[in-house]
Amino acid sequence: MTTRLSFTANPSAACWHAAEQLALGGTPAVALTAERLAANFAEPAAALAAFLTAANIPQPAFFDQLTPAACEIDGNRQLAHAALTKTVGRSRAEPLLESLVGLLSDCENAYFAAFPDLRKELELRYGPLRELWDARGPGLLAAVGRATDRRLVPEAVSVAAVPPFGAQGGGWAALGSNTVVFEMVLADPIAGLPETVRLGWLVSQLNIDLPDFSELLAPGAARLVAACAMLPVVLEAAADLEMMRPDEGGHLLTTAAEAWLPAALKSPELKLSESRLAALCGWRESARASGVPWGVKLKALERLLAEAADE
């Protein structure tokens, strides 16, 4: 089975990605982007964040629904209804809907005015990555499936291209929607770690919500466990395919964890401790030799990460 990746340049998804990054306290690495956001977008984005806080709507969960849904839903009323309903339920969503629709429209109007040619810019940005992916990506995912469980690899994935926020790029897997939100940098920002490999790592996490993989995990643990588990797996597969050099000594794993995990887990302050990195490496060695189901291996990693955090 070959996974089909479709790249989309959707200004609305880019808008909500920017709103979330600002809510997380991020600052764009590009000065011109920061100036445009400050002049046009910061105020309505702050109003949206304040509304979510006042209404006791968890922002990470809300944007988890809003940003990927924007790739499929055009109207803000339908978009707001879908995101709210999936985040807080229908009964709580209805009284909040009108206010949220207005806030979303204010944000979009400001963002589109700040970046009027964004769609064309994003299409230019994702072109090289799409070519590289078409050449090597399917083989990478096939190798990941062989090393884990083929059901982890989705059949079709939408890649929502958004402008880079941080200097090193970023992206996250929208679990349950088969969408990856990916910051399109113009070149690999980290020596030895191609962006095609980062993309494969994010895609490999999308099916973690399937019961066979998630039912043993504690509530809320799936995103962290999947992101950590797939790091060594994807790096090994990429090295075997000569997409990158072998990770002798674990240097590239450490670098990838420091650079990729904060954006993928939407936690800018996140940094795996030495004990957690050691636990991850030890887990990968034992998982490679074990024949137990992948869901059981993920549960073992969850336990090891928790124990390492307590050290």
Side-chain angles (χ1 to χ4, degrees):
M1 179 188 71
T2 299
T3 301
R4 302 184 305 278
L5 258 65
S6 58
F7 288 75
T8 62
N10 187 295
S12 289
C15 173
W16 309 130
H17 178 71
E20 182 174 22
Q21 293 303 307
L22 291 177
L24 289 170
T27 301
V30 179
L32 180 59
T33 299
E35 291 173 6
R36 290 182 179 180
L37 290 178
N40 295 276
F41 184 66
E43 185 174 341
L48 173 61
F51 169 81
L52 296 174
T53 300
N56 197 28
I57 300 171
Q59 294 193 35
F62 175 75
F63 284 107
D64 276 356
Q65 302 298 332
L66 184 73
T67 305
C71 297
E72 301 178 355
I73 300 174
D74 291 329
N76 280 338
R77 178 173 297 278
Q78 186 181 358
L79 178 62
H81 187 273
L84 270 180
T85 300
K86 290 182 178 180
T87 306
V88 299
R90 185 178 299 275
S91 61
R92 284 197 59 203
E94 294 298 337
L96 301 170
L97 185 59
E98 292 299 327
S99 296
L100 181 59
V101 171
L103 290 166
L104 295 186
S105 296
D106 290 344
C107 284
E108 280 194 336
N109 291 337
Y111 191 81
F112 296 166
F115 305 98
D117 299 318
L118 184 59
R119 190 181 299 275
K120 288 184 178 179
E121 293 174 8
L122 289 174
E123 289 173 349
L124 290 174
R125 281 180 172 272
Y126 73 59
L129 179 63
R130 181 172 61 180
E131 291 180 4
L132 289 170
W133 178 265
D134 288 345
R136 309 299 300 275
L140 175 64
L141 292 181
V144 168
R146 291 192 296 271
T148 55
D149 186 314
R150 285 177 172 82
R151 293 173 298 167
L152 273 177
V153 181
E155 294 184 4
V157 175
S158 175
V159 180
V162 298
F165 215 82
Q168 293 185 334
W172 52 278
L175 305 185
S177 73
N178 276 16
T179 300
V180 167
V181 179
F182 201 81
E183 295 186 2
M184 294 293 167
V185 294
L186 294 176
D188 294 337
I190 304 172
L193 291 172
E195 287 294 274
T196 46
V197 178
R198 188 207 299 254
L199 180 56
W201 170 66
L202 291 170
V203 170
S204 72
Q205 300 169 42
L206 286 170
N207 276 352
I208 187 62
D209 60 330
L210 293 178
D212 282 354
F213 305 130
S214 62
E215 63 183 358
L216 296 179
L217 301 177
R223 178 170 259 162
L224 171 64
V225 174
C228 290
M230 301 315 296
L231 262 181
V233 172
V234 171
L235 295 183
E236 289 170 13
D240 289 343
L241 295 172
E242 299 183 349
M243 296 174 66
M244 54 180 282
R245 69 178 187 273
D247 188 17
E248 298 177 359
H251 170 72
L252 289 175
L253 175 62
T254 300
T255 301
E258 292 176 350
W260 294 356
L261 283 174
L265 299 176
K266 301 185 180 183
S267 181
E269 73 284 354
L270 176 72
K271 184 175 182 180
L272 289 189
S273 63
E274 289 187 9
S275 60
R276 278 191 158 188
L277 282 169
L280 177 57
C281 292
W283 168 84
R284 179 57 189 145
E285 289 296 326
S286 61
R288 192 185 297 110
S290 172
V292 301
W294 190 249
V296 176
K297 295 178 182 180
L298 292 177
K299 182 62 180 179
L301 177 59
E302 179 193 16
R303 184 179 65 253
L304 290 171
L305 291 174
E307 292 171 353
D310 294 335
E311 293 179 4

